[in-house]
Amino acid sequence: MTISNQPEPATLVQLQQWMLASITNPQGLTAGLQHATIAHGRDASSMLAKGKVADVQAGLAVYANGYWLRLLACLQSDYPALRLHLGEDLFNFFCRSYLASFPPASYSLHDLGSHFTRFLRHTQRSAAREGHSLRFPLELALIEHARNCAQRAPGLEQTDYTAPDPMAVLLGAKTVISLPATTRLLLTAHPLAAFQPWLAAATVSGSDRPQHPLVSATSCIAISRHRYHVSWHALEDWQFYALSAARRQARTLSHCAQAAARRCHMPVAEIHAKLSLWLPVASAAGLLMTAQNTTTEQG
Amino acid sequence: MHSTSQGASQARLGLPNLGMGLGLRTQHLPAILAGGARVDWFEIISENFIDHAGYSAHVLEQLAAQLPIVMHGVSLSIGSASPLNLEYLRKLRELANRVSAVWVSDHICWTGLGSHNSHDLLPLPFHESSLQHLIQRVHQVQDILQRPLVLENPSSYIQFADSTMPEWEFISRLALATGCGLLLDVNNVYVSAHNHGFDAIDYLRALPHSHIVQLHLAGPTRAGELLIDTHDAPVPTPVWQLYALAQELTGGVSTLLEWDANVPDYEDLLAELAKASAVLAGQLPQQAVQQQQGLQFAHPIDFHLPAASQHSHDHLEPA
């Protein structure tokens, strides 16, 4: 396509708008150049100097190909188990659709996949239903995203946090529970053990595909980091809801026990006792932090 | 020529010759922790450690206590028509303080516009208007960082019709007007010289050598008629020749080997870096340029922690 009446030299913003439109079009460089020509009234021959060793399309193709390959590689790095499960073609199809809807906006490529799971759930609503074959990979993506967040978030390693005194907890010392940014909680329709082979296989190049899980069961999963080591935990439901109660802000042990008791239809006293015993274990796993004082909790 | 090696020690913006360094890559952390760094200094990709409080950041802090660290960014977008990202700059300054960065560098390019970041090092038109735009922004960045900014010449595959001056004149005037440092990537000069038909030696001789604080080495790939800056191969002989000339013209500055795709073992990387010392001793390695078909290359930005090495630390635990 040629523009007959050449406009004034492009301003910097016009030049950059034109180039971005050309090289980032989801349909490829040819479509991008057509779009840029129409949208900005300038074509490649007016914008670019004649190439010395290759034509300008070949030069632009380096940028256009590089844009998509780089972003795909980044998502592949973030979601290796999902990629293994879906296969290369379907995974890349979802990635390209996602990137077309959510072009990279952050200065960090670590943020590139931050909306990917939301995009998948939104665009594959029917797949999110119980029994659908895509339900499992959607949950696998959620777990991988949670893992990615846990790896980079501020954890307890650089703090002077001290674990709770088990005896003080049992004796009723006021105990406040909070979750570090490295702890993530997920409710899934498959057991943790179903995800494990996929997560493990994705770390080894050329691994065989594990089997698709045959059974489904609502599962409570937590991801934590302890001494920079990320772990997955299968929780009992009362553990999950007790931690959930402290997810957004620090809560007393009693508050967490009450919240869990409501969700699990169990006596508060029973949850309170179980939680008191479990706190040191959960703390040692990096799942939670506690603060204590000698004041006895009421209720 | 703007200067000679005579004033090199006073120049360099007060920045030292750090010797021979490598780009720090996460897959090499086990080898470094087990066998020691065995280099004079490391260069990190700034964006990989901004907003990062995990294991790699922890190891970086340990290394920073032992070796000089230089920060090399890819998202400053100094040439963008959009306003500078002040939040990014604040975090860059924080990271520089945290690792006691000897200097902070980025590229003479733009990476995005508005909210769209291409994560590529996109070329600029070289004319008076874009030069003044960059001069104003370099001053702004240096005021925020409270230190000289060091800027690298990128490789490029297109040139803009509106350009009115050669790249080396643009870069020289930018450095002289702002006092910024230059990171001379001799591989990028070689790549762009081939793609755009200029003389790489003329380019090197025309730069203000007293502003050059660091050299980059890397291996490109020939794809069809174009050379592409792939950072995935040994440094070829013509790049070593430019390296030797750059060291002669500057009087000796810090050397950094980049390798970002098909990354070899740490030992092999050290062996490749050792060739730089051999070049300074007058021995020129014989290495052809890597050749490949097609134009399917992701420009090398060390973007992520590799899945296999990082995620394999994770494990399952019962409640």
Side-chain angles (χ1 to χ4, degrees), chain B residues 252-312:
Chain B
V253 293
S254 308
T255 298
L256 190 289
L257 173 66
E258 295 181 296
W259 201 312
D260 294 309
N262 302 325
V263 181
D265 290 343
Y266 193 65
E267 299 296 329
D268 294 337
L269 212 54
L270 289 171
E272 185 69 11
L273 179 63
K275 293 179 185 173
S277 299
V279 170
L280 296 182
Q283 300 162 23
L284 194 64
Q286 295 303 306
Q287 177 69 50
V289 174
Q290 175 173 260
Q291 307 239 2
Q292 278 190 24
Q293 298 297 316
L295 294 169
Q296 298 286 321
F297 299 97
H299 178 91
I301 290 177
D302 180 30
F303 37 77
H304 256 220
L305 310 181
S309 64
Q310 178 69 17
H311 301 329
S312 61

Side-chain angles (χ1 to χ4, degrees), chain B residues 189-216:
Chain B
V189 175
Y190 176 64
V191 166
S192 294
H194 170 85
N195 292 340
H196 305 315
F198 62 76
D199 188 322
I201 293 174
D202 287 349
Y203 185 115
L204 259 59
R205 291 192 184 281
L207 293 174
H209 304 123
S210 62
H211 284 255
I212 298 172
V213 300
Q214 181 187 344
L215 302 177
H216 263 176

Side-chain angles (χ1 to χ4, degrees), chain A residues 9-65:
Chain A
T11 63
L12 191 60
V13 67
Q14 288 169 336
L15 177 148
Q16 294 180 350
Q17 285 171 337
W18 177 86
M19 186 163 176
L20 264 190
S22 298
I23 65 171
T24 66
N25 191 297
Q27 306 304 316
L29 177 60
T30 302
L33 279 169
Q34 287 173 347
H35 169 73
T37 301
I38 293 166
H40 302 290
R42 299 168 193 277
D43 62 8
S45 64
S46 69
M47 295 295 283
L48 303 178
K50 193 170 181 299
K52 290 289 197 299
V53 297
D55 61 42
V56 293
Q57 291 244 1
L60 279 173
V62 175
Y63 294 105
N65 292 335

Side-chain angles (χ1 to χ4, degrees), chain A residues 6 30 36 42-43 55-56 69 94 134 149 153 169 173 186 199-200 204 215 224 295:
Chain A
Q6 293 297 342
T30 302
R42 299 168 193 277
D43 62 8
D55 61 42
V56 293
L69 289 172
F94 280 134
L134 273 180
C149 294
V169 175
L186 297 167
L199 295 165
V204 181
V215 295
S224 72
T295 310

Side-chain angles (χ1 to χ4, degrees), chain A residues 83-165:
Chain A
R83 179 189 181 202
L84 182 66
H85 190 281
L86 294 177
E88 194 77 11
D89 290 345
L90 185 55
F91 179 81
N92 286 349
F93 169 79
F94 280 134
C95 289
R96 284 180 172 274
S97 301
Y98 167 66
L99 293 168
S101 301
F102 293 88
S106 168
Y107 53 79
S108 172
L109 278 168
H110 290 287
D111 297 332
L112 183 67
S114 56
H115 303 298
F116 191 42
T117 52
R118 190 150 52 92
F119 170 82
L120 291 174
R121 273 185 304 180
H122 182 71
T123 58
Q124 309 298 313
R125 282 194 197 93
S126 61
R129 288 200 301 268
E130 192 79 32
H132 195 287
S133 62
L134 273 180
R135 176 85 183 248
F136 180 74
L138 288 179
E139 293 182 342
L140 196 55
L142 282 172
I143 289 180
E144 291 198 288
H145 178 60
R147 184 263 323 278
N148 297 340
C149 294
Q151 282 175 339
R152 294 174 57 86
L156 299 178
E157 296 91 352
Q158 305 280 354
T159 68
D160 55 0
Y161 169 69
T162 52
D165 176 359

Side-chain angles (χ1 to χ4, degrees), chain A residues 16 47 49 52-53 63 65-67 77-78 104-107 109 147 151-152 196 203 225 229-232 234, chain B residues 50-54 75 79 81 115-117 119 159 161 196 225 295 297 304-305 308 311 313-317 319:
Chain A
Q16 294 180 350
M47 295 295 283
K52 290 289 197 299
V53 297
Y63 294 105
N65 292 335
Y67 174 79
S77 172
D78 273 353
S106 168
Y107 53 79
L109 278 168
R147 184 263 323 278
Q151 282 175 339
R152 294 174 57 86
Q196 191 272 339
T203 65
R225 195 177 84 201
H229 215 76
V230 174
S231 304
W232 290 270
Chain B
I50 288 176
D51 300 327
H52 196 320
S75 287
S115 63
H116 191 172
N117 190 332
H119 291 283
Q159 289 183 303
H196 305 315
E225 300 304 319
L295 294 169
F297 299 97
H304 256 220
L305 310 181
H311 301 329
H313 292 298
D314 311 334
H315 63 163
L316 296 173
E317 288 288 340

